[in-house]
Every structure is written in C-alpha cells, then in structure tokens.
Amino acid sequence: MVRLRAAVLASLAVLFSTTSAISTTSAAGFLSEDGTVGFALNVPQADDDNDLYFTFNGPSSSSWIAVGMGSSQMDNSLIFMMYADSTGTNITLSPRYGGGNYEPEHTKDVIVHVMPGSQVVNGRMTANVRCEQCLTWPGGSVDTANTKAPFMFARGPEQDFTSNSVSASVKRHAHYGSFTLDLTKALGTKAVPNADYADSAGTVQLSAKDDKDLAPPFHAFFMLFAFVGVMPIGVLILRILDRPKWHGINQAISVLLALAGVGLGFYIGTLYQRTRSFTSAHQIFGIIIMAMLIGELIVGFLHHRMYMLTRIPTILTKIHIWIGRVVISCGIANGFLGFPLALNRKYNWALLILVGLVLGVAAPFLFWRYRRNIQKKRTASGVRHMEDTGYEDQPWNSGMPTHSFTDLRHMQNYPLQNTKPQQGR
Ligand code: HEM
Ligand SMILES: *[C@@H]1O[C@H](CO)[C@@H](O)[C@H](O)[C@H]1NC(C)=O
C-alpha cells in the first residue's frame, strides 16, 4: 500500500514538475540490518558539476542520524549529519569532516542544499540533499566506478535534540556501522532519489555495532564518589572520630579515585569538538582543582609530621583546612559544569539533591561535634576564653586563648603539655 501510494505520488511528481524533485531516478540503496537507517545515492549521469543527490533517513527518537562517504572509518570521511531543527518538523543538515574516532568537525567548504521532502514526521527524519562538487574533499573521494565504494552510518543516542546550528555539539553514537555500495547502480538522471526505488542488489553491510559510551558515566561516578562521598567522610573521620591517621588514609584514597576520574576525563575530552582543545570551564577548573587536591594531600602530610614533632600547629595547618574546604566545594561545583558539557543538563538536579542529602546527613554530626567542642573549651580554658573565641571550632586553637595562632605570647600561660595534643593536628 505504502509503496503503491509512493509510486503514484512519484509519477505525479514526475508529471507535474520539470525541475529535479524526488523521483524514481536510478540510485544505489542501503538499509541497515536493524532497519533503522536508510540511504539512497544518485550519481548524476554526464554531470560536469560533480554533484551528488541523496536521501537518508532514520528514527527521530535518535538525537542525530548520519551517513559518511569515502571510508568505512571516520577518519578522512565526508559525513552528513542531520538532527531535528527548532521547529521539530524539519531537519538541520550538517556536513562534517571525519578526522578520527572523535566528533567530526563541521565544514563550510561543502555546499549542501536541503531539498523538498526533507522532514520529521511519523517518528522518522528524512534529509533530501543536493551536495555541490561532492566527489572529492581534503583526505577523501568517491569513485563513481567503484562497485564496492565504502560508506558508513551512525545514529546518536535516544534524546530529544533539536538545533538550527550546523555545528551543533552532539553526543557519541549509540550505533554505528559500515557498508559498500555498487555505484554503477547509482548512475542516472540527476534527482534526489526515492529510497523505496533504490537498487540495493550490490549493497553489502560490512559491520554494525552498538556503542556503549561508558567513560562519561564512570568519570562522573568516580568524581562524585570522591568529592561528595569519600572526602566529606574523611572530614567526619577527623572531626567526629578524631582519627587523623585514618583521615589521611581516607583522603589519600579519595585523591586516587579523583585521579582515576580525571584520567577518564582526559580521554573523554579528546572525543568532542567542544572539549578537544581543553579550554572549557569544566576542564580548566577541573585541572586547577586536581592540582589543588594533590597540594592539599602533600600539605596534609607535612603539617601532620610537623605537628607530631613540635606539638604546635603551624601555618600549614590553617592552609590545609582552608584548601580542604575550598577544594571539596569547588570539586562539587565543577560537577554542575560537567553535566551540561556532556549535554546532560538535567542531571544537575540529581546532583543538587545528592549534595542536599549529604549535607543533611553530615549536619547533625557536625552540630554534635560543635556542641561537644564548646563543652571541652569550657572545661579546658574557662568561660572567659569562650567569649574570646566565639563559635570558632578550630582544633588548633581550641586550647589556646587567642584569635591568632601565630601569636605565640600566650605560650607562656599555656605550657605545651596542656595543649591537648590529640586535637591539634
Ligand atoms: C560525537 C560524535 C562522535 C564521536 C565522539 C565518535 C567517536 C567514535 C569512537 C570513539 C569510535 C571507536 C569506537 C570503538 O572503538 O568501539 C568510533 C567509531 C566509529 N564511528 Fe564515530 N564518533 C562520532 C560520530 C560519528 C559519525 C557522525 C559517524 C558517521 C557516520 C561515525 C561513524 C563511526 C564508525 C563507522 C566507526 C567504526 C570505525 C572503525 O570500524 O574503525 N561516528 N567513533
Ligand atoms: C524543509 O526544508 C526544506 C528546505 O528549506 C524545504 O524544501 C522543505 O519543504 C521543508 N520541509 C517541511 C516539512 O517543511
């Protein structure tokens, strides 16, 4: 039925139009074995312009659909990618050069015309295309005499995705594969072909693969586990359990986790045009945070060693505490930049809820600890001292009646053995 109606429409189109519209012209055709992506290519007969006419289609539930020419791999191919435009009823066609196994880069050098019949309707998107002087490009070409000309196809993950930009950032494919076409079957009167009439007798699908992109979720998991989970637990180990040694071990583990996550991040960064130059805020911020984190670990060990030798808190103690606060906060904040960069803006809500939960769990402990310290101070240094220090809950001066821990005058009043060594690291 559909074929019949298409045939009637096609013959009507031929009857009533003198220009090159969608027609039953000769074309080589491909339909992926999973039935999702279709492609038909017409090579105009005796054409001095070296144009190509083609149509391709795929499920509109996919964020994007693409077909590439000239290779069975991304490198050196000329790729045509389409996604729904902002109206959701038509498509944006983006010609791109493939440079390797990463997001192909949009090119202005390939002139494409989106032809009538292009649309998003009934769960499918279709692009009808005339591509000007499309037989060669830097790095590749189409040999119209080739009976096994290499092509490839891919579709993006399922996602509501619309853009009018020909250089829109996209996610990595959910499925990709390669095929060959017999281009001698494609030769005919120049026109956008009808995929239903294309000749697929000489077509061979070489490969097809589902692509699970695991690096980004693992990157996010390692980072959040480190910054929202393990690091705050390390703070509680010190503040609630008063175990500096376990605090150190815990935080060293958290840094290793974060380093593993950063390694994944560097790999992911090579995959997308938006990240390949490593200049996005999330990446720059992330590198700075990582440097701070390693510094924090070193300062932590140093100040602990000095404290164990002298039993006097040093400037390193204060630095360690403040870098710690800043670095954990920045690490979590950077997560809010990461999800939009991965085109997963909505996960920021999940992150917000997670951070809220962790704060909700930690708050009672910290409050308990704060009360306990007030109690300790009262018995240790009397009420006069309490008024001096206010709410300050800093272990390095909890036994010392002064705002400034670098001010050593009070040391005469408070002999070392009274400074409660188990608290000041
Ligand atoms: C954001 C966009 C894209 C990214 C990040 C990307 C990345 C990659 C990566 C990492 C691989 C290797 C996968 C593996 O080893 O399992 C790959 C393979 C492949 N990609 Fe893409 N790709 C993108 C877009 C496209 C597009 C638009 C096409 C076009 C049709 C395409 C076609 C292919 C094909 C055919 C392969 C297999 C290559 C081979 O067998 O060596 N990719 N891609
Ligand atoms: C989509 O855009 C092309 C090019 O502007 C046009 O020829 C075609 O008719 C449009 N399709 C729909 C459904 O509006």
Side-chain angles (χ1 to χ4, degrees):
M1 267 311 285
V2 175
R3 262 175 182 267
L4 191 66
R5 199 163 56 214
V8 171
L9 284 175
S11 22
L12 283 177
V14 170
L15 273 177
F16 289 108
S17 99
T18 48
T19 60
S20 53
I22 303 125
S23 77
T24 55
T25 185
S26 308
F30 165 77
L31 180 63
S32 64
E33 272 161 21
D34 68 358
T36 56
V37 177
F39 175 63
L41 175 71
N42 164 254
V43 177
Q45 223 155 17
D47 178 32
D48 297 335
D49 299 334
N50 290 330
D51 290 354
L52 288 176
Y53 290 76
F54 57 90
T55 179
F56 67 115
N57 60 73
S60 57
S61 53
S62 298
S63 39
W64 53 266
I65 304 289
V67 169
M69 318 192 297
S71 174
S72 50
Q73 299 187 350
M74 296 179 72
D75 202 8
N76 286 328
S77 62
L78 172 54
I79 293 175
F80 303 95
M81 187 185 278
M82 71 165 144
Y83 25 81
D85 69 7
S86 58
T87 69
T89 60
N90 214 329
I91 54 102
T92 299
L93 183 73
S94 167
R96 302 184 181 211
Y97 289 141
N101 283 347
Y102 52 82
E103 181 182 21
E105 188 175 18
H106 166 66
T107 173
K108 289 185 175 70
D109 298 340
V110 176
I111 315 280
V112 287
H113 302 273
V114 177
M115 307 292 276
S118 302
Q119 59 186 347
V120 180
V121 69
N122 294 333
R124 290 198 78 74
M125 51 177 136
T126 303
N128 293 331
V129 184
R130 174 164 82 87
C131 184
E132 279 184 32
Q133 301 182 34
C134 236
L135 291 182
T136 59
W137 59 93
S141 62
V142 171
D143 172 7
T144 54
N146 194 344
T147 57
K148 293 186 176 65
F151 287 82
M152 58 182 179
F153 71 99
R155 59 179 151 81
E158 297 207 347
Q159 184 197 15
D160 280 328
F161 182 78
T162 59
S163 176
N164 287 349
S165 164
V166 285
S167 55
S169 283
V170 296
K171 287 190 181 183
R172 181 169 153 179
H173 26 56
H175 187 82
Y176 62 79
S178 58
F179 57 96
T180 62
L181 292 182
D182 179 352
L183 289 185
T184 61
K185 305 268 169 49
L187 211 61
T189 320
K190 65 175 170 192
V192 173
N194 183 327
D196 287 340
Y197 296 101
D199 186 345
S200 56
T203 302
V204 181
Q205 179 167 317
L206 300 175
S207 66
K209 212 176 151 212
D210 283 330
D211 187 30
K212 278 268 176 298
D213 195 6
L214 291 176
F218 271 100
H219 167 71
F221 175 78
F222 275 117
M223 289 319 210
L224 292 184
F225 191 53
F227 280 92
V228 185
V230 185
M231 285 177 206
I233 285 173
V235 174
L236 294 184
I237 288 176
L238 185 69
R239 296 303 200 203
I240 309 296
L241 302 180
D242 281 331
R243 291 287 174 87
K245 188 180 157 200
W246 285 106
H247 166 76
I249 292 171
N250 184 90
Q251 299 309 54
I253 291 171
S254 74
V255 172
L256 288 179
L257 276 169
L259 279 174
V262 166
L264 283 171
F266 272 103
Y267 162 69
I268 298 162
T270 64
L271 292 183
Y272 300 95
Q273 295 301 329
R274 59 189 174 279
T275 52
R276 277 176 62 76
S277 57
F278 287 86
T279 50
S280 73
H282 176 73
Q283 290 168 299
I284 294 173
F285 207 24
I287 290 166
I288 294 172
I289 291 167
M290 209 54 232
M292 279 165 64
L293 203 57
I294 292 168
E296 170 73 346
L297 197 61
I298 294 169
V299 171
F301 280 118
L302 285 182
H303 99 86
H304 180 68
R305 271 192 51 181
M306 280 165 86
Y307 182 82
M308 295 312 273
L309 288 176
T310 62
R311 298 284 160 187
I312 301 170
T314 59
I315 183 78
L316 288 182
T317 310
K318 197 159 202 174
I319 291 174
H320 181 69
I321 286 172
W322 274 103
I323 296 184
R325 289 170 181 175
V326 170
V327 88
I328 295 178
S329 313
C330 287
I332 295 171
N334 205 27
F336 288 97
L337 297 176
F339 285 122
L341 189 63
L343 311 180
N344 285 323
R345 191 173 291 275
K346 62 176 187 288
Y347 291 162
N348 273 354
W349 290 108
L351 180 56
L352 196 63
I353 291 167
L354 185 69
V355 171
L357 281 176
V358 168
L359 285 178
V361 169
F365 286 108
L366 292 173
F367 184 66
W368 170 77
R369 149 89 194 194
Y370 159 68
R371 293 289 296 268
R372 190 190 64 174
N373 266 54
I374 289 180
Q375 212 62 44
K376 277 190 178 174
K377 274 178 202 166
R378 217 169 249 150
T379 44
S381 27
V383 181
R384 178 192 56 83
H385 168 207
M386 261 306 298
E387 284 158 358
D388 283 347
T389 53
Y391 78 95
E392 283 275 305
D393 177 23
Q394 311 298 18
W396 66 85
N397 62 15
S398 61
M400 299 177 184
T402 175
H403 294 291
S404 159
F405 71 98
T406 50
D407 175 3
L408 294 178
R409 278 170 302 170
H410 62 272
M411 295 306 291
Q412 302 147 349
N413 310 340
Y414 286 83
L416 290 182
Q417 56 266 39
N418 280 1
T419 54
K420 305 177 103 244
Q422 77 273 21
Q423 270 197 33
R425 66 327 260 173

